Amino acid sequence: MDMPTPDSAVLSRKDEIVARLRKVLPADAVIADVAETRAYECDALTAYKCPPLAAVLPASTEEVSDVLRICHEMGVPVVPRGSGTSLAGGALPTADCVILGVARLNEVIETDYDNRFIRVQTGRTNLSVTGAVEEEQFFYAPDPSSQLACAIAGNIAMNSGGAHCLKYGVTTNNLLGVTMVQMDGTVVELGGAHLDAGGLDLLGVICGSEGQLGVVTEATLRILRKPEGARPVLMGFGSNEVAGACVSDIIKAGVLPVAIEFMDRPCIRACEAFAKAGYPDCEALLIVEVEGSDAEIDHQLSLIMEIARRHDPVELREAKDADEAGRIWLGRKSAFGAMGQINDYMCLDGTIPVSELPRVLTRIAEMSKEYGLDVANVFHAGDGNMHPLILFNANEPGQLEKCEALGADILKLCVEVGGCLTGEHGVGIEKRDLMHTQYAPEDLEAQMAVKDVFDPGWLLNPAKVFPLDASDARRSVKIAAE
Amino acid sequence: MRPGSEQEMSEAIRAASGPVRIVGGGTRGGFGTGEVIETGGLSGITLYEPGALTLVARAGTPLSEIEDALARENQRLAFEPMDHRALLGTRGKPTLGGVAAGNISGPRRIQAGAARDFMLGVRFVDGSGTIVKNGGRVMKNVTGYDLVKLMAGSWGQLGVLTEISLKVLPVPEMQATLVLHGLNDRDAVAAMSRALGSPYEVTGAAHLPASGRTCLRIEGFERSVQYRLEALGQLFAEAAQDRIVDSAENAILWQAIRDAEHLAESAGNIWRISVKPSDSPVVAERLGAKAHFFDWGGGLVWACLRRGDDARHALTGISGHATLVRADPADLAKLPRLQPEPPAIAKLTDGLRRKFDPRGLFRSEPVTA
């Protein structure tokens, strides 16, 4: 993984930069000690590490604005950081950057049940947003697996999804407004508690821009009333093809489950060994969850099971109560932990058209043999968002590189069949150099033109999203200008 | 000019020497002056996979063609795009490109989302004639910046859409409406908020002051609709109410709301104002409109004002935006059609226009039908 050479002019001015930051922030909000900056050297993509020049922890929009204005004036790159749970290296520092952590921005500003929104500071964790409204039976819908730890700021930067987005959509569909600070310190309000944009939909382009257009300090989020109940059904099938066909038939039949999760044999076995959830020993397993009142759930599950029966399931298990529901979800929810137990693994995130499921799974199995690395598949089948887990041994020299090469081949396959490189984790540095496989130069140019407008100096979250060769000219213009 | 392919569209834009006006079906009163470039030559559904809930079509495809194809598979565009013909007195066939460029959504926006939320990918020709693609045809995609949202609702000011991919949804088995009678604006919005805050999945909430009706729509499997209709009715046990379960009757009612038919006959300028629901009674009071109604549970105010009156005065101290949908031509010189932006935002949108349309081809004053 290449990263640009740190700007020596910035490195040599470290003391001056830190001194200026200390003037606008409390003493404990500026971290410049080399040992302490290590805490920020990586995110959840731990294969890559680089301590930043300094880290700051502002506690208000004004402080964020002050920090950015100073960094802008001094030509210092800034890497915004939520909770550091990015699997794509979205918050990986550069040696010449200031990490701007939003952890101290964690207040609830307003809850409004009549108008169904909550306004929060963006350092707040995803789950604690729901936590703030569940007493009134409301919830915030996007539910990434890291929801206990991940911050709303990072959710907005990556346009995070989750298991339930088949019904509720991803972050962008549940984000109503933001307060954002631009790199030069300008504070803008986009959207609000009302719907849609009066002019160009800037909010729509901010969401998913990986912290490269501005630092979002506050967000207005749509909250929804909780359904009366939810229950899953578990189905086992003799082949991936049959399970794929069943998914398609459920969708075509007009039932819209909140989640359809798919696990293949390697994944089922690992989960079973780890969590002992009582999963059947079969080729493919589906967990389908529906919502509503008890009677509504019964009706929808009966329709789904009727469809499943037409595909000769080897197992069909309906959850009759919360306890049974919990056991059905147990294996799936421990999938990543189960994998971590047996091996190091790399989690991919490509999306494919649902109709391509069988073909892609067959091809992944072939590639897995070719590379000699096991791949387990667990994913959101309703929306085609795959999470192949490549198992490898990090201590064996050359295995990480081999694993990355297999990962790249799988993602190229996703693009080839009409899908994309990343469905919910983001590009970060991880998929940066694969962007050429999905986008032509002019497609990337159009995206970079947006960055030119919001951050003309290309200081925010540098060397992410765009292949280095594509963004090189823009990043060097900045250096030349100083 | 009527390019027959995306390539020809690119050449036409490249060759343009002055302002152009992009026209799809010409039913919504688009933006731009100057030479007309039609999108009708870029027509046809290029991919439809009902099992993947995905449809891809060229921008000039008539909406009716898409709706027919979907109906054959018992699917639909869940964002319920408004048909502007009744309100604007336009003819022609609405196209997919117009829906996308205007982010045109109907009553179900409140629950299912707007056109922008169902757009998975776009192809477009920018002001330099460059063909750009963004997004794709899968439901979850965070690969690079989301220019799909930027193009949705941009009214062609950044480029000419040539192809759009959409998420589609199944048509539910049944629709029903609970109608509450005799509520004033304030009580109606309170009732709609209560309904939308219930677990009964209301997919439409509109208040029609002229007939004193507040309409709450529920959709789904028949058994489920019956149950929720009953439960919802109980929430408002004290209000005079009745129920519409006949599908044709429901279709007529919600189409009229979607298309703002209640205002079509009123003489004056028509405004569409997006605010948070609880602000709408205040806005309506300040407007003193000749006629008005609420959609989106109060989040959308439709109003007919006297010519020359500026609805934006009613938004003082209230966050939201007002669009002048139908206007007397003389008023358009004084009243911008889209909500004016604060300076910091205007600087950003201006910067984007300059990047995507460096020659200002699409950047002329808006015209109305």
Side-chain angles (χ1 to χ4, degrees):
Chain A
M1 181 66 55
D2 290 333
M3 287 301 271
T5 316
D7 186 342
S8 54
V10 170
L11 294 178
S12 66
R13 293 171 78 190
K14 175 173 174 177
D15 292 347
E16 192 189 339
I17 294 163
V18 169
R20 282 197 65 184
L21 291 171
R22 288 217 158 108
K23 272 189 199 153
V24 297
L25 294 178
D28 68 344
V30 181
I31 297 152
D33 180 79
V34 177
E36 286 177 65
T37 56
R38 285 260 157 74
Y40 300 92
E41 67 184 1
C42 69
D43 54 23
L45 184 69
T46 51
Y48 299 97
K49 295 185 166 82
C50 172
L53 185 79
V56 294
L57 300 169
S60 68
T61 300
E62 293 68 32
E63 287 184 357
V64 170
S65 171
D66 288 341
V67 166
L68 289 176
R69 201 188 57 252
I70 290 167
C71 291
H72 182 250
E73 280 170 19
M74 301 186 74
V76 183
V78 172
V79 173
R81 180 181 168 104
S83 298
T85 58
S86 172
L87 292 164
L92 178 73
T94 52
D96 57 2
C97 88
V98 167
I99 284 276
L100 193 164
V102 294
R104 290 189 182 173
L105 292 158
N106 57 12
E107 296 293 313
V108 171
I109 297 163
E110 186 184 3
T111 36
D112 184 334
Y113 298 104
D114 285 342
N115 293 303
R116 299 170 301 285
F117 73 85
I118 183 169
R119 186 155 177 95
V120 297
Q121 290 184 313
T122 55
R124 203 170 173 84
T125 63
N126 173 293
L127 197 61
S128 76
V129 172
T130 289
V133 296
E134 64 189 348
E135 215 166 77
E136 296 289 330
Q137 301 300 315
F138 277 76
F139 73 110
Y140 173 59
D143 58 343
S145 310
S146 56
Q147 68 181 152
L148 187 63
C150 64
I152 292 297
N155 289 183
I156 293 169
M158 294 310 199
N159 188 15
S160 302
H164 292 83
C165 46
L166 184 57
K167 179 170 177 186
Y168 296 113
V170 294
T171 302
T172 192
N173 312 114
N174 292 280
L175 178 67
L176 298 171
V178 296
T179 299
M180 185 184 79
V181 188
Q182 288 176 246
M183 187 63 216
D184 64 3
T186 308
V187 179
V188 290
E189 293 291 336
L190 297 168
H194 58 275
L195 295 172
D196 298 337
L200 293 181
D201 188 355
L202 300 185
L203 183 65
V205 81
I206 295 305
C207 191
S209 63
E210 307 207 5
Q212 292 197 312
L213 304 183
V215 175
V216 174
T217 56
E218 292 181 15
T220 304
L221 308 168
R222 182 169 80 135
I223 51 172
L224 300 170
R225 175 67 185 255
K226 280 189 178 169
E228 291 180 80
R231 259 189 285 133
V233 56
L234 178 146
M235 316 165 183
F237 294 96
S239 77
N240 289 330
E241 285 80 2
V242 175
C246 184
V247 170
S248 185
D249 283 355
I250 290 169
I251 289 173
K252 264 193 280 191
V255 194
L256 195 65
V258 277
I260 306 182
E261 297 290 298
F262 190 123
M263 294 162 75
D264 71 355
R265 180 183 276 278
C267 188
I268 299 167
R269 288 208 164 154
C271 291
E272 193 47 33
F274 181 76
K276 301 189 177 50
Y279 284 178
D281 187 27
C282 58
E283 287 301 319
L285 192 145
L286 293 179
I287 298 172
V288 184
E289 183 160 273
V290 296
E291 289 178 345
S293 65
D294 260 342
E296 289 175 289
I297 291 173
D298 286 342
H299 178 238
Q300 290 179 73
L301 287 184
S302 74
L303 289 172
I304 289 169
M305 295 206 296
E306 196 182 306
I307 294 165
R309 280 192 196 97
R310 295 205 292 266
H311 293 277
D312 296 323
V314 298
E315 171 113 7
L316 203 50
R317 191 189 305 164
E318 183 189 346
K320 293 284 183 205
D321 54 39
D323 190 47
E324 288 180 19
R327 252 177 296 142
I328 286 180
W329 276 113
L330 178 67
R332 165 65 185 91
K333 289 196 170 162
S334 54
F336 288 50
M339 290 301 159
Q341 188 106 28
I342 44 176
N343 251 318
D344 297 307
Y345 68 84
M346 180 187 210
C347 174
L348 304 180
D349 174 45
T351 308
I352 56 165
V354 179
S355 50
E356 296 287 342
L357 264 181
R359 186 153 76 103
V360 169
L361 288 174
T362 305
R363 188 72 195 104
I364 289 178
E366 289 165 10
M367 289 174 171
S368 157
K369 277 209 190 94
E370 287 161 26
Y371 276 88
L373 291 175
D374 285 336
V375 179
N377 284 288
V378 49
F379 54 91
H380 317 304
D383 49 35
N385 188 190
M386 312 200 48
H387 291 309
L389 303 174
I390 307 175
L391 309 182
F392 71 106
N393 182 353
N395 295 322
E396 195 177 308
Q399 283 246 312
L400 173 65
E401 291 72 20
K402 206 168 163 189
C403 169
E404 286 182 332
L406 171 56
D409 278 351
I410 292 174
L411 293 182
K412 283 178 195 162
L413 171 68
C414 291
V415 174
E416 199 182 296
V417 300
C420 66
L421 297 171
T422 171
E424 58 185 1
H425 295 173
V427 178
I429 53 157
E430 191 203 16
K431 279 142 309 203
R432 183 190 70 191
D433 297 316
L434 288 172
M435 287 290 273
H436 286 308
T437 63
Q438 184 168 337
Y439 288 117
E442 50 272 27
D443 302 331
L444 291 174
E445 189 61 34
Q447 296 178 33
M448 290 192 291
V450 173
K451 173 134 173 99
D452 290 340
V453 171
F454 283 82
D455 176 23
W458 278 64
L459 288 171
L460 267 173
N461 215 6
K464 313 279 166 66
V465 184
F466 303 106
L468 287 188
D469 57 350
S471 65
D472 192 42
R474 288 169 154 95
R475 283 179 292 105
S476 11
V477 164
K478 177 215 101 184
I479 292 162
E482 275 150 26
Chain B
M1 204 184 292
R2 191 180 163 93
S5 69
E6 188 177 64
Q7 194 53 45
E8 283 180 30
M9 180 63 81
S10 158
E11 284 156 21
I13 296 296
R14 223 177 273 273
S17 54
V20 296
R21 175 164 152 75
I22 308 300
V23 176
T27 66
R28 304 187 196 275
F31 279 52
T33 52
E35 188 186 0
V36 168
I37 299 184
E38 292 179 50
T39 62
L42 308 175
S43 184
I45 295 168
T46 53
L47 178 140
Y48 178 28
E49 284 185 2
L53 302 174
T54 316
L55 180 140
V56 185
R58 297 193 184 95
T61 312
L63 204 56
S64 55
E65 192 179 320
I66 291 168
E67 284 169 339
D68 289 349
L70 291 173
R72 282 194 290 276
E73 295 289 338
N74 203 33
Q75 294 186 338
R76 68 180 180 186
L77 299 176
F79 55 93
E80 214 175 1
M82 171 184 186
D83 184 336
H84 280 74
R85 286 176 291 187
L87 190 65
L88 300 183
T90 47
R91 298 206 182 101
K93 285 185 172 177
T95 61
L96 176 59
V99 167
N103 185 27
I104 306 296
S105 320
R108 206 175 290 106
R109 196 270 171 262
I110 191 82
Q111 185 259 349
R116 81 191 275 278
D117 297 300
F118 286 85
M119 288 168 61
L120 304 175
V122 292
R123 295 179 65 88
F124 64 95
V125 176
D126 74 9
S128 308
T130 307
I131 298 169
V132 177
K133 71 164 186 300
N134 190 263
R137 64 174 172 104
V138 289
M139 271 183 228
K140 273 166 86 181
N141 185 349
V142 295
T143 320
Y145 295 172
D146 192 349
L147 304 187
V148 179
K149 301 283 185 300
L150 193 60
M151 294 305 289
S154 66
W155 291 101
Q157 296 177 87
L158 303 177
V160 189
L161 289 165
T162 55
E163 189 179 86
I164 294 126
S165 39
L166 294 167
K167 174 184 173 182
V168 300
L169 284 178
V171 177
E173 199 171 87
M174 184 185 178
Q175 252 186 29
T177 305
L178 177 73
V179 183
L180 306 178
H181 295 277
L183 301 180
N184 61 31
D185 281 1
R186 203 166 290 273
D187 293 342
V189 169
M192 291 191 287
S193 285
R194 201 166 161 209
L196 287 161
S198 78
Y200 309 126
E201 291 196 53
V202 170
T203 71
H207 173 59
L208 310 170
S211 57
R213 289 184 300 167
T214 307
C215 308
L216 304 168
R217 179 175 62 184
I218 287 175
E219 297 171 286
F221 289 107
E222 184 175 347
R223 226 185 294 180
S224 163
V225 169
Q226 296 289 9
Y227 160 76
R228 286 181 283 146
L229 189 61
E230 194 52 43
L232 196 62
Q234 307 241 322
L235 280 185
F236 305 104
E238 73 289 353
Q241 53 175 262
D242 64 77
R243 283 137 214 228
I244 303 173
V245 290
D246 178 70
S247 64
E249 224 179 307
N250 270 297
I252 290 167
L253 171 68
W254 288 98
Q255 185 183 314
I257 294 167
R258 182 194 75 182
D259 297 344
E261 282 175 18
H262 310 89
L263 302 182
E265 299 300 316
S266 311
N269 291 342
I270 307 286
W271 293 82
R272 181 181 182 274
I273 304 163
S274 174
V275 289
K276 77 169 187 256
S278 61
D279 285 335
S280 57
V282 183
V283 169
E285 204 179 301
R286 288 186 191 170
L287 285 173
K290 296 166 74 173
H292 77 277
F293 74 93
F294 300 155
D295 194 358
W296 298 356
L300 187 66
V301 181
W302 280 98
C304 179
L305 299 193
R306 276 177 300 275
R307 284 163 52 175
D309 283 2
D310 187 353
R312 291 172 185 126
H313 293 321
L315 289 180
T316 308
I318 288 174
S319 142
H321 53 86
T323 305
L324 183 49
V325 177
R326 188 184 79 189
D328 184 79
D331 283 340
L332 279 176
K334 295 166 287 180
L335 298 169
R337 208 170 108 178
L338 299 181
Q339 179 79 24
E341 291 163 334
I345 305 284
K347 192 177 158 203
L348 291 171
T349 58
D350 224 57
L352 290 170
R353 285 196 195 95
R354 281 172 211 277
K355 285 281 180 188
F356 285 86
D357 179 23
R359 293 179 293 159
L361 296 183
F362 310 126
R363 211 197 165 172
S364 34
E365 280 310 297
V367 295
T368 191

